[in-house]
Amino acid sequence: MAQLNSEQRRAVETLSGPMLVLAGAGTGKTRVVTYRIARLIRFGVNPARILAVTFTNKAAKEMQERIEKILGKKHKERPQISTFHSHCVRILRRHARLLGYPSNFVIYDAGDQESLARQVLKQVTSTRVEIKPSDLLYFISQWKSKSIRPVDALAIASDDRAELAAAAYNVYQRELKNSGALDFDDLLLLTEELFQLEREAAVEEAARFDHILVDEYQDTNQSQYRIVQRLAQQHRNLCVVGDDDQSIYAWRGAEVRHILNFKQDWPDAKIFCLEENYRSTEKILVAANRLIKFNKTRHEKELKAGRPGGDPPQVRRFADDTREAAEVVREIRRKLNQPGIEPRDFAILYRAAAQSRPLETELRKAQIPYVVLGGQSFFDRREVKDVLAFLRLIESPDDEISLRRILNVPPRGIGQKARDILVAESKNRRHSLWQVACSPPPNIGQAACKGLKRLTDTLLNAANVINPKNMVSVVRSIIEELDYRMEIERQYATEIERDSRWQAVEQLVNAVAAYISESDKPRLGEFIEQLTLGDREVNDDKEKKLDRNAVVLLTMHSSKGLEFPYVYLIGLEDGIIPHRRSINEGLEKIEEERRLCYVGMTRAQDQLFISMALERLKWGKAVASRPSPFLFEMTGQTDHPAYLRIMANYCNSADGLSSR
């Protein structure tokens, strides 16, 4: 207990009744949870009667290890510590038959789900629209995270795609049940349904525990919220821990109102506020506190520094995003020359994954090792590889791997049968696949011949005219003439995903423009070579990547729960953060974007560097940027005319912001 501060101690010593522990960034919430469990056991609670739930296996494992270290070997029984999903599996194994499922139900993985979705879409068709299996699974997962059943999904469907998905959702659930199977989202949804429909089962499950602790309560969705309510309502010994200021997963179904309204749900609840931050220096916290106070819908609190002093965050403006990346990497290189500083000490954070492109380019040039979290490396993205395949064929038309990749991307009538004929013809003639594509045999069909002609003509014309002066416009024209935008629209169901993928294509065009500006004698082949060299291993999981001694590139969403001595927060521009979509969606979305920026800032332990670009390449052309309003807020400059203009624009863009 001597290791706890006064507020932590109060939370640990409160052993009964509902309680909310508001645990700000870096305030030691895991310590409070584990110490409180240990104290409950010390004061006579049977360890097996304690349930602690969290969101990741990693967090559950860490909590279990800490408790075992505290308890030692004198207690044979252990508290049940698991993820929400793992606990729901246990519940459903005991009661699934009540819902018409076998107790030995199968849990489908992603591959199983996609196979089922493909079968379902053969049964459910529409003359107006079609969707892919991945689109259907996205719709279903979104509905399930909001506790929306098939009949309700059909009632709220807003367009033809959603109506088709809702109809398929009904068949999907029926086929799952017929197969005695559940998908990952069903584990929550069916547990919630069990508690609603089968009162005896709900009472039995609630009676198994005398104390419940919930970590990261701000991330609970509707099903998780209702499951917790039913498990705790009898004994009322519910301790939830979280931070509304770090609620950044609304797109995954998380609802910040669960933690904001805890006192309304449990009027006799005690609230403890952990404000002493042990991670960041005082000057970093001053700026972070200043920013988050602009959110109106939050619990009132302020992080206090356990580490006084430190350097204030450095805010920098660069001429463009290429200069921004170059200067960030140059500074990292300088710091790495100092004794005791390692690449793993640095993190570069951004709002959107596509922003990693100029950073990866500069890190490769500087030969600084790096890893990318929160998505693939920019250079490993499908759409980037597709467009690079087009460019490789301009430079080297006999590149069979590239031609095979984009032969029917976007679809141009070249099915598998036509592909097989082309490959066989290539072998028979002893010609390259490209040569056969330029002069295809008639037995591949009229549609395939027409599609091949469009592809080969476009690439041959580009090869004939491309030069250093028009390289950017030629690359743009290839993307337009081959209608790659259609491929993005076809492959991805949501506007968010399409936007992210299209941004990556745009960034590749920007990379061409940046390369030309830096090269004395630019050549398309050299550009491709620069991007191709230095490929790194991918598919490392997050923990393995963090174990490597490398600079970490990651999105702000992926940074939650992590910390680094040196953090670079880049691209603080209006339309990037807050994202342009959120500006039109009202105050609630703007506040989530502000929380996201706050999460990014509070990852920094020793130094925080924040930057923006005055110009950012868009389709190879420089477009003026303006600062994010968050920059003015964190630096205390909200009387600046530029800030007032931005906020006035927000008010005009969304009725929900008019209250500002």
Side-chain angles (χ1 to χ4, degrees):
M1 297 297 284
Q3 299 178 42
L4 304 176
N5 64 39
S6 58
E7 194 70 359
Q8 288 174 331
R9 189 177 298 114
R10 287 181 61 224
V12 168
E13 290 175 342
T14 302
L15 300 182
S16 62
M19 58 185 284
L20 166 62
V21 180
L22 290 168
T27 57
K29 71 178 179 64
T30 305
R31 172 175 287 184
V32 168
V33 172
T34 53
Y35 276 45
R36 186 171 185 273
I37 291 172
R39 192 168 179 84
L40 284 169
I41 295 169
R42 181 185 172 192
F43 278 78
V45 176
N46 182 340
R49 305 282 299 170
I50 300 172
L51 170 67
V53 287
T54 187
F55 280 83
T56 66
N57 289 320
K58 181 185 175 184
K61 182 181 178 183
E62 180 185 354
M63 206 178 291
Q64 188 77 59
E65 288 172 349
R66 288 199 189 193
I67 288 170
E68 287 180 0
K69 189 174 180 180
I70 295 169
L71 294 178
K73 297 181 179 180
K74 60 183 178 181
H75 292 279
K76 291 183 179 180
E77 292 186 307
R78 289 287 185 263
Q80 184 172 305
I81 301 174
S82 67
T83 64
F84 269 101
H85 290 86
S86 295
H87 185 61
C88 288
V89 169
R90 296 187 188 98
I91 292 173
L92 292 172
R93 291 290 183 209
R94 290 188 282 265
H95 305 286
R97 291 190 181 281
L98 297 173
L99 299 175
Y101 292 83
S103 57
N104 63 339
F105 57 81
V106 176
I107 302 172
Y108 273 7
D109 62 18
D112 299 324
Q113 286 181 260
E114 185 143 347
S115 296
L116 178 58
R118 192 171 290 108
Q119 293 173 31
V120 166
L121 289 172
K122 290 177 182 176
Q123 300 176 48
V124 182
T125 58
S126 168
T127 57
R128 299 186 303 274
V129 69
E130 62 179 35
I131 59 175
K132 303 192 312 298
S134 58
D135 296 349
L136 174 59
L137 293 175
Y138 177 84
F139 275 112
I140 291 174
S141 183
Q142 288 294 299
W143 283 322
K144 287 185 177 182
S145 73
K146 296 179 175 66
S147 297
I148 296 172
R149 272 68 173 180
V151 62
D152 302 314
L154 193 57
I156 64 172
S158 58
D159 57 29
D160 290 345
R161 287 170 61 82
E163 284 183 9
L164 177 58
Y169 179 18
N170 186 52
V171 179
Y172 175 89
Q173 285 303 105
R174 187 183 70 214
E175 293 299 321
L176 273 176
K177 196 167 189 176
N178 290 342
S179 301
L182 282 66
D183 67 17
F184 197 63
D185 293 316
D186 280 334
L187 299 175
L188 300 177
L189 194 67
L190 291 183
T191 301
E192 179 192 351
E193 192 171 301
L194 174 75
F195 287 176
Q196 288 173 340
L197 300 178
E198 303 291 340
R199 186 177 182 280
E200 287 185 12
V203 170
E204 178 188 329
E205 290 302 320
R208 290 178 180 276
F209 303 100
D210 297 323
H211 291 268
I212 297 174
L213 298 92
V214 182
D215 192 21
E216 303 287 9
Y217 191 65
Q218 79 280 351
D219 293 337
T220 51
N221 65 21
Q222 278 284 13
S223 290
Q224 290 160 332
Y225 169 78
R226 289 173 180 151
I227 290 166
V228 169
Q229 298 288 99
R230 294 302 296 268
L231 289 175
Q233 66 184 191
Q234 192 63 38
H235 54 67
R236 300 181 62 78
N237 292 323
L238 173 65
C239 170
V240 303
V241 184
D243 182 12
D244 49 298
D245 289 336
Q246 296 185 78
S247 180
I248 59 173
Y249 297 123
W251 50 276
R252 265 186 349 205
E255 298 195 26
V256 68
R257 65 187 177 90
H258 295 159
I259 194 168
L260 293 174
N261 296 341
F262 188 79
K263 187 72 173 175
Q264 294 176 32
D265 293 337
W266 306 87
D268 56 333
K270 298 181 177 66
I271 299 179
F272 304 94
C273 195
L274 308 185
E275 296 178 303
E276 190 164 356
N277 175 286
Y278 298 98
R279 175 188 299 153
S280 308
T281 61
E282 181 180 13
K283 295 294 177 62
I284 292 171
L285 295 182
V286 166
N289 285 329
R290 195 183 282 140
L291 172 70
I292 202 62
K293 282 183 178 178
F294 281 86
N295 273 7
K296 304 300 181 187
T297 311
R298 63 187 290 264
H299 287 289
E300 194 61 39
K301 55 189 174 302
E302 182 174 295
L303 292 179
K304 297 175 175 60
R307 302 175 61 201
D311 298 325
Q314 296 184 30
V315 180
R316 299 167 179 171
R317 294 186 302 177
F318 295 103
D320 53 47
D321 51 342
T322 302
R323 193 72 54 83
E324 178 184 48
E327 289 299 320
V328 166
V329 172
R330 189 173 292 119
E331 181 166 292
I332 290 173
R333 168 58 67 197
R334 283 200 301 268
K335 287 185 178 296
L336 286 172
N337 290 329
Q338 300 174 24
I341 296 181
E342 301 285 343
R344 63 164 57 94
D345 296 332
F346 298 88
I348 308 175
L349 276 56
Y350 35 77
R351 173 64 178 83
Q355 289 174 261
S356 75
R357 194 273 308 165
L359 295 160
E360 291 191 65
T361 299
E362 294 298 327
L363 287 163
R364 287 180 176 197
K365 284 183 189 175
Q367 296 185 318
I368 296 174
Y370 71 93
V371 293
V372 181
L373 300 187
Q376 294 171 298
S377 160
F378 173 82
F379 300 103
D380 295 321
R381 293 171 73 109
R382 172 180 177 171
E383 57 277 12
V384 172
K385 287 179 177 263
D386 285 347
V387 177
L388 273 176
F390 292 134
L391 302 187
R392 285 194 176 98
L393 288 168
I394 294 174
E395 185 68 18
S396 178
D398 290 338
D399 179 353
E400 186 166 325
I401 297 297
S402 291
L403 181 55
R404 283 187 179 227
R405 181 181 185 91
I406 52 82
L407 200 58
N408 200 42
V409 175
R412 52 179 67 88
I414 307 169
Q416 189 59 50
K417 183 178 178 181
R419 293 164 70 102
D420 292 342
I421 292 171
L422 289 169
V423 171
E425 191 73 11
S426 170
K427 290 177 180 176
N428 291 337
R429 290 194 209 171
R430 296 187 178 180
H431 288 171
S432 70
L433 189 61
W434 172 263
Q435 289 172 309
V436 175
C438 290
S439 177
N443 62 333
I444 67 168
Q446 189 176 354
C449 284
K450 186 178 178 181
L452 280 173
K453 180 170 173 53
R454 183 182 180 191
L455 173 65
T456 55
D457 283 355
T458 299
L459 297 180
L460 284 169
N461 291 338
N464 289 332
V465 302
I466 196 164
N467 62 58
K469 292 182 179 179
N470 69 7
M471 200 182 296
V472 172
S473 61
V474 169
V475 172
R476 272 205 309 261
S477 69
I478 292 168
I479 295 166
E480 291 167 5
E481 288 176 32
L482 294 177
D483 202 8
Y484 193 75
R485 183 67 184 254
M486 182 187 78
E487 178 70 2
I488 299 286
E489 299 288 333
R490 187 180 75 88
Q491 287 287 344
Y492 304 103
T494 68
E495 193 62 35
I496 293 174
E497 184 74 353
R498 290 171 185 164
D499 187 49
S500 169
R501 300 288 175 169
W502 192 239
Q503 279 184 42
V505 176
E506 179 185 318
Q507 281 287 352
L508 186 57
V509 178
N510 294 344
V512 177
Y515 160 74
I516 291 170
S517 69
E518 295 170 0
S519 178
D520 294 332
K521 296 180 180 179
R523 290 185 304 104
L524 181 61
E526 184 181 62
F527 168 74
I528 295 169
E529 185 179 287
Q530 283 189 6
L531 293 193
T532 306
L533 290 174
D535 279 350
R536 304 157 326 285
E537 62 184 295
V538 294
N539 300 325
D540 278 355
D541 60 31
K542 189 172 182 178
E543 286 72 28
K544 285 183 179 177
K545 285 185 175 182
L546 288 171
D547 284 342
R548 291 169 58 183
N549 190 9
V551 175
V552 180
L553 275 60
L554 69 171
T555 62
M556 295 180 196
H557 280 103
S558 298
S559 72
K560 176 101 166 22
L562 302 177
E563 60 186 25
F564 304 89
Y566 306 100
V567 169
Y568 293 80
L569 210 57
I570 70 157
L572 266 285
E573 295 149 40
D574 188 32
I576 293 180
I577 184 164
H579 194 280
R580 62 180 176 274
R581 284 192 308 272
S582 68
I583 295 168
N584 296 321
E585 294 179 6
L587 178 62
E588 188 176 329
K589 293 294 185 182
I590 296 289
E591 292 208 344
E592 176 145 339
E593 291 285 298
R594 189 178 283 111
R595 293 195 292 266
L596 184 58
C597 187
Y598 172 82
V599 165
M601 295 177 73
T602 53
R603 301 310 96 196
Q605 295 171 300
D606 301 328
Q607 289 187 316
L608 174 62
F609 305 89
I610 302 167
S611 62
M612 66 160 292
L614 296 173
E615 288 183 348
R616 195 166 286 274
L617 286 178
K618 191 170 181 64
W619 290 107
K621 295 182 179 180
V623 177
S625 302
R626 62 181 184 182
S628 166
F630 301 158
L631 274 176
F632 295 100
E633 292 169 358
M634 69 178 68
T635 55
Q637 300 181 67
T638 51
D639 56 350
H640 195 287
Y643 175 77
L644 299 175
R645 283 195 298 271
I646 293 171
M647 298 312 293
N649 180 59
Y650 285 5
C651 290
N652 293 332
S653 297
D655 293 337
L657 290 176
S658 59
S659 60
R660 272 212 187 277

